[in-house]
Amino acid sequence: SRGFGTPAYAASCRELEQLQETVSGRVNELWNKLTKQWHELGLPPADQEQSQQELRVIRQRGTIDVLQALKEKTAHLEAKIQDRHDILRRVKACTDLEAQIQAFEREASDSGRLRGSSAKLLQEEQQRRRFRCKKARMMEDLLTRVVDWEEKHCERFIHRGVAMREVLQQDLEDTKELGGL
């Protein structure tokens, strides 16, 4: 218990000031984090301004409400960033597989390989089929994840200025057509 009178009131005021400073510091930290997240996601200035306007409206209700809103926004963006990183890791895996396929095809294009057993040609065709099946599975998984991401975040998944959904869909169709899958 604090006791009574002026000393208790002064102690309460000091504690309140400290708490307000702590909350203000946390608001600043979260604001900086939010700004970094916007940058990482490449959020257009218009969307940033809309978010800032929403926070200005919330600020009228009080600092605690701003803190809560910033926590929610940064948590949402953190999840969005993590989902995006997961998809981009899978894009990299597909790119790596494509490089493997191209290296295999370069090696298989050497006419010297035709000398000798026809079993080698059969093995090459089996390897091509394995590559096509693996690529198709990876592309289907990636496409599903991109579609889910777009639905969850109500926006197109853009990477390096390219709408990934359409590119993946076309690549998957080409892979299936090429391999008769």
Side-chain angles (χ1 to χ4, degrees):
S1 168
R2 293 182 193 276
F4 300 97
T6 305
Y9 176 73
S12 294
C13 286
R14 281 191 303 277
E15 186 177 342
L16 181 60
E17 282 177 19
Q18 289 173 342
L19 289 173
Q20 287 173 328
E21 286 176 17
T22 301
V23 169
S24 290
R26 187 71 178 125
V27 164
N28 288 335
E29 286 174 25
L30 288 171
W31 187 257
N32 290 334
K33 182 177 182 177
L34 184 67
T35 303
K36 288 176 184 172
Q37 289 172 325
W38 287 342
H39 179 72
E40 184 171 349
L41 288 168
L43 199 69
D47 292 349
Q48 292 178 31
E49 180 56 39
Q50 180 183 354
S51 229
Q52 290 171 352
Q53 183 60 36
E54 291 169 6
L55 288 169
R56 280 192 283 276
V57 169
I58 292 169
R59 182 173 285 163
Q60 294 171 358
R61 294 188 303 219
T63 308
I64 298 296
D65 287 343
V66 171
L67 180 62
Q68 187 59 38
L70 281 168
K71 279 179 157 180
E72 290 170 7
K73 282 185 179 292
T74 55
H76 169 75
L77 290 179
E78 190 63 37
K80 185 176 182 177
I81 288 168
Q82 290 307 315
D83 291 346
R84 183 174 177 78
H85 285 309
D86 179 55
I87 289 171
L88 293 177
R89 276 191 298 277
R90 291 169 191 278
V91 167
K92 170 104 172 64
C94 285
T95 303
D96 292 348
L97 178 62
E98 188 62 39
Q100 276 185 298
I101 292 169
Q102 289 175 1
F104 171 79
E105 290 300 339
R106 276 192 304 276
E107 192 177 299
S109 68
D110 178 21
S111 61
R113 80 190 199 296
L114 298 174
R115 284 178 248 144
S117 171
S118 62
K120 175 119 172 109
L121 294 176
L122 181 60
Q123 289 172 345
E124 285 177 5
E125 277 310 307
Q126 290 171 341
Q127 182 61 36
R128 282 185 185 94
R129 180 146 178 82
R130 282 192 295 272
F131 275 142
R132 283 192 301 267
C133 288
K134 183 175 182 178
K135 182 178 176 185
R137 281 193 311 274
M138 290 174 80
M139 299 299 290
E140 286 170 347
D141 176 64
L142 190 52
L143 185 59
T144 298
R145 289 174 188 275
V146 167
V147 168
D148 290 348
W149 189 94
E150 289 180 345
E151 289 173 0
K152 180 179 179 181
H153 299 290
C154 301
E155 64 182 86
R156 293 173 71 194
F157 190 95
I158 306 291
H159 180 59
R160 296 183 178 159
V162 176
M164 293 300 291
R165 183 179 190 167
E166 290 79 9
V167 170
L168 293 170
Q169 185 65 47
Q170 185 61 51
D171 199 8
L172 178 60
E173 289 171 11
D174 293 346
T175 300
K176 287 183 173 184
E177 275 180 28
L178 180 66
L181 300 177

